[in-house]
Amino acid sequence: MIKSISGTLFSGILMLSATIHISAQTPIKVPTNKHDIKTDLKISEIVDSKNIHDRLPLIIDLRLISYLKTLSSQLEKGIPPEFRYSDFKYTFYIIDFSGIAVFSIPGGAIYISRGAMIKARGEGELLGLMAHGMSHIALRHYTAKLPKVEEIDWMLLELGILNTFVEGKPGYIDYRGLKSRSAPYKIKFNDDIERQADILAAQILARANHDPHALGNVYLHIKSRSDVGYCPSDLDPHERKQMLYREARQLQAAGLYDPRKGYFMSEDFLPMQKFVTELPKRQRGSILFPQ
């Protein structure tokens, strides 16, 4: 009898421990989405098939591409199973924009601004921004903002993407259903959406053996609206930092983050940062919208 009670008690302790482990991190409630992932993939195909990359101020270098691929592979290991889609192919690019910017295309393309890489105080901060961009894709935030498939103006959406990138100006794409092609689609995520991306990014960082404090530290760089990139947020940078530091404590309680542990860092960050810093600025064109 004593043995049976002890066994039951031990099992109960294990179940309680597992519950604490799971619940210690902040749960994420994904926004309602009218679309399945086919819409995300179609937008990704538009970017590929319309030669949009040929018209963007991208910094193309094989060493840089290889470096970003290495970091991306590390981060992908940290995406929780419920937010993984086998058809999403995460690919990172550096775009010639001086502000701190992260811009994600549904399906997996993510653009990190040159300014973000230059201003990053170490590889951890770059990884934090990359994880934030991945989170918007994994949570399918963009397609959650789209109208029904039959109401989407695909040409306008394509032009909106082009205009935002090629002009290289802070701004955002809005898919709210503008019918005139005199202006691009625009989208602006609300505070809850940005918080979701921050929280998932912290969880991805911890699961991928990186320091989740890193993204919080990035927000110390953002002093004014002019420092913000393509998807500006009204969230206070210090509020975001504190939120991410709280999440790091919760992840530590869940056993997903150990501040005493050595974290993966490559030897390539400083050479790549120096390379990007010293490159001359690329010439930018602009896209005109058909009337």
Side-chain angles (χ1 to χ4, degrees), residues 234-258:
D234 293 325
L235 285 176
D236 178 73
H238 293 284
E239 177 191 338
R240 297 179 84 168
K241 173 183 174 291
Q242 293 303 319
M243 177 187 68
L244 285 156
Y245 271 48
R246 287 193 299 270
E247 186 66 19
R249 290 194 294 271
Q250 290 180 268
L251 290 164
Q252 183 178 351
L256 294 173
Y257 165 59
D258 184 351

Side-chain angles (χ1 to χ4, degrees), residues 21-32:
H21 180 94
I22 293 170
S23 63
Q25 56 185 322
T26 302
I28 299 172
K29 185 178 180 181
V30 182
T32 302

Side-chain angles (χ1 to χ4, degrees), residues 14-184:
L14 284 177
M15 290 176 65
L16 178 60
S17 174
T19 301
I20 292 172
H21 180 94
I22 293 170
S23 63
Q25 56 185 322
T26 302
I28 299 172
K29 185 178 180 181
V30 182
T32 302
N33 198 318
K34 307 181 187 71
H35 304 269
D36 60 27
I37 66 166
K38 291 179 181 177
T39 303
D40 301 69
L41 296 175
K42 182 171 181 178
I43 296 171
S44 180
E45 288 172 5
I46 286 174
V47 173
D48 290 337
S49 64
K50 299 294 184 178
N51 297 320
I52 287 179
H53 280 188
D54 294 342
R55 306 174 71 178
L56 301 183
L58 298 181
I59 297 173
I60 304 297
D61 179 84
L62 292 179
R63 293 168 301 168
L64 184 59
I65 291 169
S66 176
Y67 171 65
L68 294 173
K69 185 176 181 180
T70 298
L71 299 189
S72 175
S73 297
Q74 286 285 325
L75 290 173
E76 285 184 54
K77 298 174 184 177
I79 300 175
E82 62 269 29
F83 301 127
R84 290 185 183 179
Y85 298 92
S86 60
D87 290 329
F88 287 4
K89 309 299 180 186
Y90 293 98
T91 308
F92 286 86
Y93 305 90
I94 300 296
I95 192 164
D96 190 6
F97 172 67
S98 60
I100 297 175
V102 182
F103 189 90
S104 306
I105 295 292
I110 304 169
Y111 304 85
I112 304 290
S113 71
R114 172 179 176 156
M117 190 162 182
I118 291 173
K119 295 173 186 176
R121 296 172 299 183
E123 191 169 67
E125 292 192 1
L126 175 61
L127 285 160
L129 287 170
M130 292 173 70
H132 181 89
M134 292 176 77
S135 296
H136 279 306
I137 292 173
L139 295 171
R140 303 186 60 231
H141 283 156
Y142 293 92
T143 48
K145 290 284 187 177
L146 285 171
K148 295 178 182 178
V149 172
E150 57 270 21
E151 297 174 359
I152 297 174
D153 185 327
W154 293 101
M155 181 173 287
L156 185 53
L157 186 148
E158 174 194 337
L159 292 171
I161 293 171
L162 272 170
N163 191 68
T164 299
F165 279 130
V166 177
E167 287 191 356
K169 298 176 181 177
Y172 46 85
I173 295 179
D174 181 352
Y175 303 120
R176 288 177 297 182
L178 295 174
K179 298 303 180 183
S180 169
R181 289 183 180 160
S182 62

